[in-house]
Amino acid sequence: LIERVARVDEIVLISGETGTGKELVSQAIHYHSQRKGRWIPLNCAAFPAELIEDELFGHRRGAFSGATGDRAGAFEAGESGTIFLDEIGEMPLSMQPRLLRVLQEKKIKRIGENQERPVNVRVIAATNRDLEAEVKNGNFREDLYYRLNALRIPLPPLRERGGDVPLLIRYFTGVLCQ
């Protein structure tokens, strides 16, 4: 499934419990794709609501206190590559319309700028939350959910993937014995 999804240049939503390997799947999709740019991971839960916009889109010098120079955000830094938006279900509701617009228009606007910049990045998002339930509860935008859910990869927990245990044992044995 990862190899098939990697060949299609579309948004991917990876869902599964914590620890199922969503980040590794995202990396595998990127490295099996035709994208030549970087793979940029960004944890949506790690940034305060007021900083996530700057992390994603960057800023112009003087846009706010401490903005001493222009700064590219993840969407510009990931040009021709992939942005991995981990914990997308944690993204503040106030930021979701801006992300939706970028996904639709493929253009960003740095904080403090009026001009849009085109971007060419693939977005892979991941969540351990039930986004459909979050939509029903008003915590996640329905239109953003449908945009992110273009291609979905549900990851079962390890307890349901018994065949992976010997592979993991061999891998970790090799790492620990070096």
Side-chain angles (χ1 to χ4, degrees):
L1 181 58
I2 290 170
E3 288 175 359
R4 285 195 322 244
V5 166
R7 287 186 231 127
V8 180
D9 201 21
E10 189 61 61
I11 298 169
V12 179
L13 179 61
I14 304 168
S15 60
E17 294 178 9
T18 300
T20 55
K22 295 182 290 292
E23 186 167 333
L24 292 174
V25 169
S26 171
Q27 285 177 332
I29 291 169
H30 173 70
Y31 292 118
H32 285 91
S33 76
Q34 298 299 313
R35 294 216 157 249
K36 303 297 182 206
R38 298 170 42 203
W39 176 81
I40 299 180
L42 191 71
N43 186 331
C44 297
F47 299 101
E50 55 277 356
L51 293 182
I52 196 158
E53 183 175 15
D54 187 40
E55 287 298 320
L56 291 172
F57 310 122
H59 63 261
R60 182 181 173 159
R61 179 177 179 244
F64 51 84
S65 262
T68 57
D70 291 351
R71 179 183 172 282
F75 273 88
E76 281 183 87
E79 182 65 24
S80 299
T82 302
I83 295 177
F84 175 55
L85 298 176
D86 197 11
E87 304 299 344
I88 191 71
E90 303 287 332
M91 180 169 279
L93 199 53
S94 61
M95 191 63 220
Q96 293 177 25
R98 184 107 191 259
L99 176 61
L100 178 63
R101 182 162 176 80
V102 170
L103 297 177
Q104 290 172 336
E105 305 296 324
K106 299 191 183 331
K107 295 178 183 174
I108 59 111
K109 193 172 7 172
R110 288 182 180 178
I111 299 170
E113 283 188 341
N114 294 322
Q115 186 176 354
E116 292 184 318
R117 301 165 181 255
V119 290
N120 173 17
V121 297
R122 180 181 199 170
V123 173
I124 300 175
T127 186
N128 61 3
R129 291 186 174 204
D130 179 350
L131 290 185
E132 288 182 25
E134 294 296 317
V135 167
K136 288 178 186 170
N137 293 331
N139 298 322
F140 203 83
R141 289 181 59 106
E142 184 174 24
D143 47 2
L144 179 57
Y145 169 68
Y146 286 113
R147 177 65 67 170
L148 291 170
N149 201 25
L151 295 172
R152 186 174 200 155
I153 298 179
L155 289 183
L158 188 58
R159 66 182 171 274
E160 295 175 15
R161 298 182 345 230
D164 288 355
V165 173
L167 296 170
L168 291 168
I169 290 171
R170 274 195 298 268
Y171 171 77
F172 286 116
T173 302
V175 169
L176 295 172
C177 291
Q178 288 182 355

